[in-house]
Amino acid sequence: MKIAMIGHKRVPGREGGIEVVVEELATRMSKRKQDVTVYNRHKKGYRAPKIYKGVRTIDVPTIEKKSTDAVVYSFIASIMCLFGKYDIIHYHAIGPSAFLMIPHIFGKKTVVTVHGLNYKTPKWKGLGAKFIQFGEKITAKYADKVIVLSKEQKKYFKEKYNRDTIYIPNGTSIFDNEPADLIKEKYGLEKNSYILFLSRVVPGKGIEYLLDAYKEIDSSLKLIVAGGTEYVHEFRTMIEEKASEDSRVQLIGFVDGKMLRELYSNAKLFVFPSEAEGMPMCLLEALSYNCPCLVSDISENIEVGRKYVMTFKSKNTENLKEKLKFCLEEYKNNMDSRQYIIDNFSWDKVVEQTLECYSELIK
């Protein structure tokens, strides 16, 4: 099959969960002799190889501002893909899917993966939120297949739009735990010497609640905040100011590769206080390292974490503080979350189910 993917930022890249999913799907499909092209958003100073692990990359021009980046990119990519003679055009996220009407009008088969109801997070307000909601309606009405990442999303689309969807959760790669080498050299971190937050530093991820709760806890453990940010400068400044009030907090920015693996491998506790998610990739990854996890009690976190995570009331700083203290002082993690992840969240299974979804459309 000849497949196009639209909606992510850049492949290769780990700027967010969508980028991880698109890269894993595209490269693994290529290994299975599928012809895959990913439409990357242009970014000044970034240039992807034209062929990456067998996947063709196309750079799409855009206007690099929060209000225009995704909209301009998705519109242009939707037009460009008309000339590719694709069997399937796969949109990732409901915002970019607003433009699937373009290939739909020309008889192209479209698939949408709903990575989350983004407009429910504080990051998106006003016209941005309305545009994403519009994309959701277009997805529900015109996409040939809709893939959701959680049972909650499946229920939502059925109740609101009477739209049947396909449940295919994300996967994660499995790595061996690694000793604290790079993180010791660069940040002075030892095994079990820190609490880890690892996600994009943007509104809706709940980092402000974590910082407020953590500063009220008497602990020698550092709080490591790992993650990049884009187009939310005021929020980033606010987080930097909060972090500067406590010398135990370290903002280390975006990480990947061996540094990322070492952070997961050696954390005393992984905390993910997000307010809304599609399917939290960072939680999947943390559990794959058998890292103890404390997460907000949103349904998507509970669905992924099940009995392998501790929860606190979302957006409740006081409850988060109490659960943090409990996890650090009393909680004993005796369950094998790594085996649970291996058994339930295999990328090979995700690829098989997605290709089966495609095949049903081009029989």
Side-chain angles (χ1 to χ4, degrees), residues 98-163:
F99 295 109
L100 71 77
M101 281 299 297
I102 296 172
H104 176 79
I105 288 170
F106 286 88
K108 301 285 188 178
K109 298 296 185 182
T110 58
V111 175
V112 174
T113 294
V114 180
H115 287 266
L117 306 179
N118 313 60
Y119 57 84
K120 292 187 175 182
T121 69
K123 179 182 176 182
W124 295 104
K125 299 176 182 177
L127 288 175
K130 284 182 170 38
F131 176 76
I132 295 171
Q133 287 177 293
F134 174 70
E136 176 182 295
K137 292 175 182 176
I138 293 295
T139 293
K141 188 169 184 178
Y142 295 107
D144 292 293
K145 294 278 188 180
V146 179
I147 296 171
V148 294
L149 306 179
S150 71
K151 303 286 179 60
E152 189 70 23
Q153 288 176 357
K154 188 174 182 66
K155 179 182 176 184
Y156 172 80
F157 272 85
K158 186 63 176 178
E159 290 181 352
K160 185 168 183 178
Y161 300 104
N162 196 30
R163 175 67 200 243

Coordinates of all heavy atoms in Angstrom, one line a residue, residues 98-163:
A98 N -9.2 18.6 10.1 CA -10.2 19.6 9.6 C -10.1 19.7 8.1 O -11.1 19.9 7.4 CB -10.1 21.0 10.2
F99 N -8.9 19.4 7.5 CA -8.7 19.5 6.1 C -8.8 18.2 5.3 O -8.5 18.1 4.1 CB -7.4 20.2 5.8 CG -7.3 21.6 6.3 CD1 -6.5 21.9 7.4 CD2 -8.0 22.6 5.7 CE1 -6.5 23.2 7.9 CE2 -8.0 23.9 6.2 CZ -7.2 24.2 7.3
L100 N -9.3 17.1 6.0 CA -9.4 15.9 5.3 C -10.5 15.9 4.2 O -10.6 15.1 3.4 CB -9.6 14.7 6.2 CG -10.9 14.5 7.0 CD1 -12.1 14.0 6.2 CD2 -10.7 13.6 8.2
M101 N -11.3 17.0 4.3 CA -12.3 17.2 3.3 C -11.7 17.4 1.9 O -12.3 17.0 0.9 CB -13.2 18.5 3.6 CG -14.2 18.3 4.7 SD -15.5 17.1 4.2 CE -16.2 17.9 2.8
I102 N -10.5 17.9 1.8 CA -9.8 18.1 0.5 C -9.6 16.7 -0.2 O -10.1 16.5 -1.3 CB -8.5 18.9 0.7 CG1 -8.9 20.3 1.2 CG2 -7.8 19.0 -0.6 CD1 -7.7 21.1 1.6
P103 N -8.9 15.8 0.4 CA -8.7 14.5 -0.2 C -10.0 13.7 -0.3 O -10.2 13.0 -1.3 CB -7.7 13.7 0.7 CG -7.7 14.4 2.0 CD -8.0 15.9 1.7
H104 N -10.9 13.9 0.7 CA -12.2 13.2 0.6 C -13.0 13.6 -0.6 O -13.6 12.7 -1.3 CB -13.0 13.6 1.9 CG -14.4 13.1 1.9 ND1 -14.7 11.7 2.2 CD2 -15.6 13.6 1.6 CE1 -16.0 11.5 2.1 NE2 -16.6 12.7 1.8
I105 N -13.0 14.9 -1.0 CA -13.7 15.4 -2.2 C -13.2 14.7 -3.4 O -13.9 14.4 -4.4 CB -13.6 16.9 -2.3 CG1 -14.5 17.5 -1.2 CG2 -14.1 17.4 -3.7 CD1 -14.3 19.0 -1.1
F106 N -11.9 14.4 -3.4 CA -11.2 13.8 -4.6 C -11.2 12.3 -4.5 O -10.5 11.6 -5.3 CB -9.8 14.3 -4.7 CG -9.8 15.7 -5.3 CD1 -9.8 16.8 -4.4 CD2 -9.7 16.0 -6.6 CE1 -9.8 18.1 -4.8 CE2 -9.7 17.3 -7.1 CZ -9.7 18.4 -6.2
G107 N -12.0 11.7 -3.6 CA -12.2 10.3 -3.5 C -11.1 9.5 -2.9 O -11.0 8.3 -3.0
K108 N -10.2 10.2 -2.1 CA -9.1 9.5 -1.4 C -9.6 8.9 -0.1 O -10.5 9.4 0.5 CB -8.0 10.5 -1.1 CG -7.4 11.2 -2.3 CD -6.5 10.3 -3.1 CE -5.7 11.0 -4.2 NZ -4.8 10.1 -4.9
K109 N -9.1 7.7 0.2 CA -9.5 7.1 1.5 C -8.7 7.7 2.7 O -7.5 7.8 2.6 CB -9.2 5.6 1.4 CG -9.9 4.8 0.3 CD -11.4 4.9 0.6 CE -12.2 4.0 -0.4 NZ -13.7 4.1 -0.2
T110 N -9.4 8.1 3.7 CA -8.8 8.8 4.8 C -9.1 8.0 6.1 O -10.1 7.5 6.4 CB -9.4 10.2 5.0 OG1 -10.8 10.2 5.2 CG2 -9.0 11.1 3.8
V111 N -8.0 8.0 7.0 CA -8.1 7.5 8.3 C -7.6 8.6 9.3 O -6.7 9.3 9.0 CB -7.2 6.2 8.4 CG1 -7.1 5.7 9.9 CG2 -7.6 5.1 7.5
V112 N -8.3 8.7 10.4 CA -7.9 9.6 11.4 C -7.6 8.9 12.7 O -8.4 8.0 13.2 CB -9.0 10.7 11.7 CG1 -8.6 11.6 12.9 CG2 -9.2 11.5 10.4
T113 N -6.5 9.2 13.4 CA -6.2 8.7 14.7 C -6.5 9.9 15.7 O -5.9 11.0 15.5 CB -4.8 8.2 14.9 OG1 -4.6 7.0 14.2 CG2 -4.6 7.9 16.4
V114 N -7.4 9.7 16.6 CA -7.7 10.8 17.6 C -6.8 10.6 18.7 O -6.9 9.8 19.6 CB -9.2 10.7 18.0 CG1 -9.5 11.8 19.1 CG2 -10.2 10.7 16.8
H115 N -5.8 11.5 18.8 CA -4.8 11.4 19.8 C -5.2 12.1 21.1 O -4.6 12.0 22.2 CB -3.4 12.0 19.4 CG -2.7 11.2 18.4 ND1 -1.8 10.3 18.7 CD2 -2.9 11.1 17.0 CE1 -1.3 9.6 17.6 NE2 -2.0 10.1 16.6
G116 N -6.3 12.8 21.1 CA -6.8 13.4 22.3 C -7.8 14.6 21.9 O -7.8 15.0 20.7
L117 N -8.6 14.9 22.8 CA -9.6 16.0 22.6 C -8.9 17.3 23.1 O -9.2 17.8 24.1 CB -10.9 15.8 23.3 CG -11.5 14.4 23.0 CD1 -12.8 14.3 23.8 CD2 -11.8 14.3 21.5
N118 N -8.0 17.8 22.2 CA -7.0 18.9 22.6 C -7.7 20.1 23.1 O -7.1 20.8 24.0 CB -6.1 19.3 21.4 CG -5.6 18.1 20.7 OD1 -6.3 17.2 20.2 ND2 -4.3 18.0 20.6
Y119 N -8.9 20.4 22.6 CA -9.5 21.7 23.0 C -9.9 21.7 24.5 O -10.3 22.7 25.1 CB -10.7 22.0 22.1 CG -11.8 20.9 22.1 CD1 -12.8 20.8 23.1 CD2 -11.8 19.9 21.1 CE1 -13.7 19.8 23.1 CE2 -12.7 18.9 21.1 CZ -13.7 18.8 22.1 OH -14.6 17.8 22.1
K120 N -9.8 20.5 25.2 CA -10.2 20.5 26.6 C -9.0 20.9 27.5 O -9.2 21.0 28.7 CB -10.6 19.0 26.9 CG -12.0 18.6 26.3 CD -12.4 17.3 26.8 CE -13.8 16.9 26.3 NZ -14.3 15.6 26.8
T121 N -7.9 21.1 26.9 CA -6.7 21.6 27.7 C -6.6 23.1 27.7 O -7.0 23.7 26.7 CB -5.4 20.9 27.2 OG1 -5.1 21.5 25.9 CG2 -5.5 19.4 27.0
P122 N -6.0 23.7 28.7 CA -5.8 25.1 28.8 C -4.9 25.7 27.7 O -4.9 26.9 27.4 CB -5.1 25.4 30.2 CG -5.4 24.1 30.9 CD -5.5 23.0 29.9
K123 N -4.2 24.9 27.0 CA -3.3 25.4 25.9 C -4.1 26.0 24.8 O -3.6 27.0 24.2 CB -2.4 24.2 25.4 CG -1.5 24.6 24.3 CD -0.7 23.4 23.7 CE 0.1 23.9 22.5 NZ 0.9 22.7 21.9
W124 N -5.3 25.5 24.5 CA -6.1 25.9 23.4 C -7.3 26.7 23.9 O -8.1 26.2 24.6 CB -6.5 24.7 22.5 CG -5.3 24.1 21.9 CD1 -4.7 22.9 22.3 CD2 -4.5 24.5 20.8 NE1 -3.7 22.6 21.5 CE2 -3.5 23.6 20.6 CE3 -4.6 25.7 20.0 CZ2 -2.5 23.7 19.6 CZ3 -3.6 25.8 19.0 CH2 -2.6 24.9 18.8
K125 N -7.4 27.9 23.4 CA -8.5 28.8 23.8 C -9.0 29.5 22.5 O -8.3 29.5 21.5 CB -8.1 29.8 24.8 CG -7.6 29.2 26.1 CD -7.1 30.3 27.1 CE -6.6 29.7 28.4 NZ -6.1 30.7 29.3
G126 N -10.2 30.1 22.6 CA -10.7 30.9 21.5 C -10.8 30.2 20.2 O -11.3 29.1 20.1
L127 N -10.3 30.9 19.1 CA -10.3 30.3 17.8 C -9.6 29.0 17.6 O -10.0 28.1 16.9 CB -9.8 31.3 16.8 CG -10.7 32.6 16.5 CD1 -9.9 33.6 15.6 CD2 -12.0 32.2 15.9
G128 N -8.5 28.9 18.4 CA -7.7 27.6 18.3 C -8.6 26.4 18.7 O -8.6 25.4 18.1
A129 N -9.3 26.6 19.9 CA -10.1 25.5 20.4 C -11.3 25.2 19.4 O -11.7 24.1 19.2 CB -10.7 25.9 21.8
K130 N -11.9 26.3 18.9 CA -13.0 26.1 17.9 C -12.6 25.4 16.7 O -13.3 24.6 16.1 CB -13.6 27.5 17.6 CG -14.4 28.1 18.7 CD -15.0 29.4 18.2 CE -16.1 30.0 19.2 NZ -15.9 29.8 20.6
F131 N -11.3 25.7 16.2 CA -10.8 25.0 15.0 C -10.7 23.5 15.3 O -11.0 22.7 14.4 CB -9.5 25.6 14.6 CG -8.9 24.9 13.4 CD1 -9.3 25.1 12.1 CD2 -7.8 24.0 13.6 CE1 -8.8 24.4 11.1 CE2 -7.2 23.4 12.6 CZ -7.7 23.6 11.3
I132 N -10.1 23.2 16.5 CA -10.0 21.8 16.8 C -11.3 21.1 16.9 O -11.5 19.9 16.5 CB -9.1 21.6 18.1 CG1 -7.7 22.2 17.9 CG2 -9.1 20.2 18.5 CD1 -6.9 22.3 19.1
Q133 N -12.3 21.7 17.5 CA -13.7 21.2 17.6 C -14.3 20.9 16.2 O -14.9 20.0 16.0 CB -14.5 22.1 18.4 CG -14.2 22.0 19.9 CD -15.1 23.0 20.7 OE1 -14.9 24.2 20.6 NE2 -15.9 22.5 21.6
F134 N -14.0 21.9 15.3 CA -14.4 21.7 13.9 C -13.8 20.5 13.3 O -14.5 19.7 12.6 CB -14.1 23.0 13.1 CG -14.4 22.9 11.7 CD1 -15.7 22.9 11.2 CD2 -13.4 22.8 10.7 CE1 -16.0 22.8 9.8 CE2 -13.6 22.7 9.4 CZ -15.0 22.7 8.9
G135 N -12.5 20.3 13.6 CA -11.8 19.1 13.0 C -12.4 17.8 13.6 O -12.5 16.8 12.9
E136 N -12.9 17.9 14.8 CA -13.5 16.7 15.4 C -14.8 16.4 14.7 O -15.1 15.2 14.4 CB -13.8 17.0 16.9 CG -14.6 15.9 17.6 CD -14.9 16.2 19.0 OE1 -14.0 16.4 19.8 OE2 -16.1 16.4 19.3
K137 N -15.6 17.4 14.3 CA -16.9 17.2 13.6 C -16.6 16.6 12.2 O -17.3 15.7 11.7 CB -17.7 18.5 13.6 CG -18.2 18.9 14.9 CD -18.8 20.3 14.8 CE -19.3 20.8 16.2 NZ -19.9 22.1 16.2
I138 N -15.6 17.2 11.5 CA -15.3 16.7 10.2 C -14.8 15.2 10.3 O -15.2 14.4 9.4 CB -14.2 17.6 9.6 CG1 -14.7 19.0 9.3 CG2 -13.6 16.9 8.3 CD1 -15.8 19.1 8.3
T139 N -14.0 14.9 11.3 CA -13.5 13.6 11.5 C -14.7 12.6 11.6 O -14.8 11.6 11.0 CB -12.6 13.5 12.7 OG1 -11.4 14.2 12.5 CG2 -12.3 12.0 13.1
A140 N -15.6 13.0 12.5 CA -16.8 12.1 12.8 C -17.6 11.9 11.6 O -18.2 10.8 11.4 CB -17.6 12.7 14.0
K141 N -17.8 12.9 10.8 CA -18.7 12.8 9.6 C -18.1 12.2 8.4 O -18.7 11.5 7.6 CB -19.3 14.2 9.3 CG -20.4 14.1 8.3 CD -21.1 15.5 8.2 CE -22.3 15.4 7.3 NZ -23.1 16.7 7.2
Y142 N -16.8 12.5 8.1 CA -16.3 12.2 6.8 C -15.1 11.2 6.7 O -14.8 10.7 5.6 CB -15.8 13.5 6.1 CG -17.0 14.5 5.8 CD1 -17.2 15.6 6.5 CD2 -17.9 14.2 4.8 CE1 -18.3 16.5 6.2 CE2 -19.0 15.0 4.5 CZ -19.2 16.1 5.2 OH -20.2 17.0 5.0
A143 N -14.4 11.0 7.8 CA -13.3 10.1 7.8 C -13.8 8.7 7.4 O -14.8 8.2 7.9 CB -12.5 10.1 9.1
D144 N -13.1 8.0 6.6 CA -13.5 6.6 6.3 C -13.3 5.6 7.5 O -14.1 4.7 7.6 CB -12.7 6.1 5.1 CG -13.0 6.8 3.8 OD1 -14.2 6.7 3.3 OD2 -12.2 7.6 3.3
K145 N -12.3 5.9 8.2 CA -12.1 5.1 9.5 C -11.6 6.0 10.6 O -10.8 6.9 10.3 CB -11.0 4.0 9.3 CG -11.5 2.9 8.3 CD -12.3 1.8 9.0 CE -12.6 0.6 8.1 NZ -13.4 -0.4 8.7
V146 N -12.0 5.9 11.8 CA -11.6 6.6 12.9 C -11.0 5.7 14.0 O -11.6 4.8 14.4 CB -12.7 7.5 13.6 CG1 -12.2 8.3 14.8 CG2 -13.3 8.4 12.5
I147 N -9.7 5.9 14.3 CA -9.0 5.2 15.3 C -9.0 6.0 16.6 O -8.6 7.2 16.6 CB -7.6 4.8 14.9 CG1 -7.6 3.9 13.6 CG2 -6.8 4.1 16.0 CD1 -6.3 3.7 13.0
V148 N -9.3 5.4 17.7 CA -9.2 6.0 19.0 C -8.2 5.3 19.9 O -8.0 4.1 19.7 CB -10.6 6.2 19.7 CG1 -11.5 7.1 18.9 CG2 -11.2 4.8 19.9
L149 N -7.7 6.0 20.9 CA -6.6 5.4 21.7 C -7.1 4.9 23.1 O -6.4 4.3 23.9 CB -5.5 6.4 21.9 CG -4.9 6.9 20.6 CD1 -3.8 7.9 21.0 CD2 -4.3 5.8 19.7
S150 N -8.4 5.2 23.4 CA -8.9 4.9 24.7 C -10.4 4.5 24.6 O -11.1 4.9 23.7 CB -8.8 6.0 25.7 OG -9.7 7.1 25.4
K151 N -10.8 3.7 25.6 CA -12.3 3.3 25.6 C -13.1 4.5 25.8 O -14.3 4.6 25.4 CB -12.4 2.3 26.7 CG -11.6 1.0 26.6 CD -12.1 0.1 25.5 CE -11.2 -1.2 25.4 NZ -11.1 -2.0 26.6
E152 N -12.6 5.5 26.6 CA -13.4 6.7 26.8 C -13.7 7.5 25.5 O -14.8 8.0 25.3 CB -12.6 7.6 27.8 CG -13.4 8.8 28.3 CD -14.5 8.4 29.3 OE1 -14.5 7.3 29.9 OE2 -15.5 9.2 29.4
Q153 N -12.7 7.5 24.7 CA -12.9 8.2 23.4 C -13.9 7.4 22.5 O -14.7 8.0 21.8 CB -11.5 8.3 22.6 CG -10.6 9.3 23.2 CD -9.3 9.3 22.5 OE1 -9.0 8.5 21.6 NE2 -8.4 10.2 22.9
K154 N -13.8 6.1 22.5 CA -14.7 5.3 21.8 C -16.2 5.6 22.2 O -17.1 5.8 21.3 CB -14.4 3.8 21.9 CG -15.1 2.9 21.0 CD -14.6 1.5 21.1 CE -15.4 0.5 20.2 NZ -15.1 0.8 18.8
K155 N -16.4 5.6 23.5 CA -17.7 5.9 24.0 C -18.1 7.3 23.6 O -19.3 7.6 23.3 CB -17.6 5.8 25.5 CG -18.9 6.1 26.3 CD -18.8 5.9 27.8 CE -20.0 6.3 28.5 NZ -19.8 6.3 30.0
Y156 N -17.2 8.3 23.7 CA -17.5 9.7 23.4 C -18.0 9.8 22.0 O -19.0 10.5 21.7 CB -16.3 10.5 23.6 CG -16.4 11.9 23.1 CD1 -17.0 12.9 23.9 CD2 -15.8 12.3 21.9 CE1 -17.1 14.2 23.5 CE2 -15.9 13.7 21.5 CZ -16.6 14.6 22.3 OH -16.7 15.9 21.9
F157 N -17.3 9.3 21.0 CA -17.7 9.4 19.6 C -19.0 8.7 19.3 O -19.8 9.2 18.5 CB -16.6 8.9 18.7 CG -15.6 9.9 18.3 CD1 -14.5 10.2 19.2 CD2 -15.7 10.7 17.2 CE1 -13.6 11.1 18.9 CE2 -14.8 11.7 16.9 CZ -13.7 11.9 17.7
K158 N -19.3 7.6 20.0 CA -20.5 6.9 19.8 C -21.7 7.7 20.3 O -22.8 7.8 19.7 CB -20.5 5.5 20.4 CG -21.7 4.6 20.1 CD -21.8 4.3 18.6 CE -23.0 3.4 18.4 NZ -23.2 3.1 16.9
E159 N -21.5 8.2 21.5 CA -22.6 9.0 22.2 C -22.9 10.3 21.5 O -24.0 10.7 21.3 CB -22.3 9.2 23.7 CG -22.4 7.9 24.5 CD -22.1 8.1 25.9 OE1 -21.7 9.2 26.3 OE2 -22.3 7.1 26.7
K160 N -21.8 11.0 21.1 CA -22.0 12.4 20.6 C -22.4 12.4 19.1 O -23.2 13.2 18.6 CB -20.8 13.2 20.8 CG -20.9 14.7 20.4 CD -19.8 15.6 20.9 CE -20.1 17.0 20.5 NZ -19.0 17.9 21.0
Y161 N -21.7 11.5 18.3 CA -21.9 11.5 16.9 C -22.5 10.2 16.3 O -22.7 10.1 15.1 CB -20.5 11.7 16.2 CG -19.9 13.0 16.6 CD1 -18.8 13.0 17.5 CD2 -20.3 14.2 16.1 CE1 -18.1 14.2 17.8 CE2 -19.6 15.4 16.4 CZ -18.6 15.4 17.3 OH -18.0 16.6 17.6
N162 N -22.8 9.3 17.2 CA -23.2 7.9 16.7 C -22.2 7.4 15.7 O -22.6 6.7 14.7 CB -24.6 8.0 16.1 CG -25.2 6.6 16.0 OD1 -24.9 5.7 16.8 ND2 -26.1 6.4 15.0
R163 N -20.9 7.6 15.9 CA -19.9 7.2 15.0 C -19.1 6.0 15.6 O -18.6 6.1 16.8 CB -18.9 8.3 14.8 CG -17.7 8.0 14.0 CD -18.1 7.6 12.5 NE -17.1 6.9 11.8 CZ -16.4 7.3 10.8 NH1 -16.6 8.5 10.3 NH2 -15.5 6.5 10.2

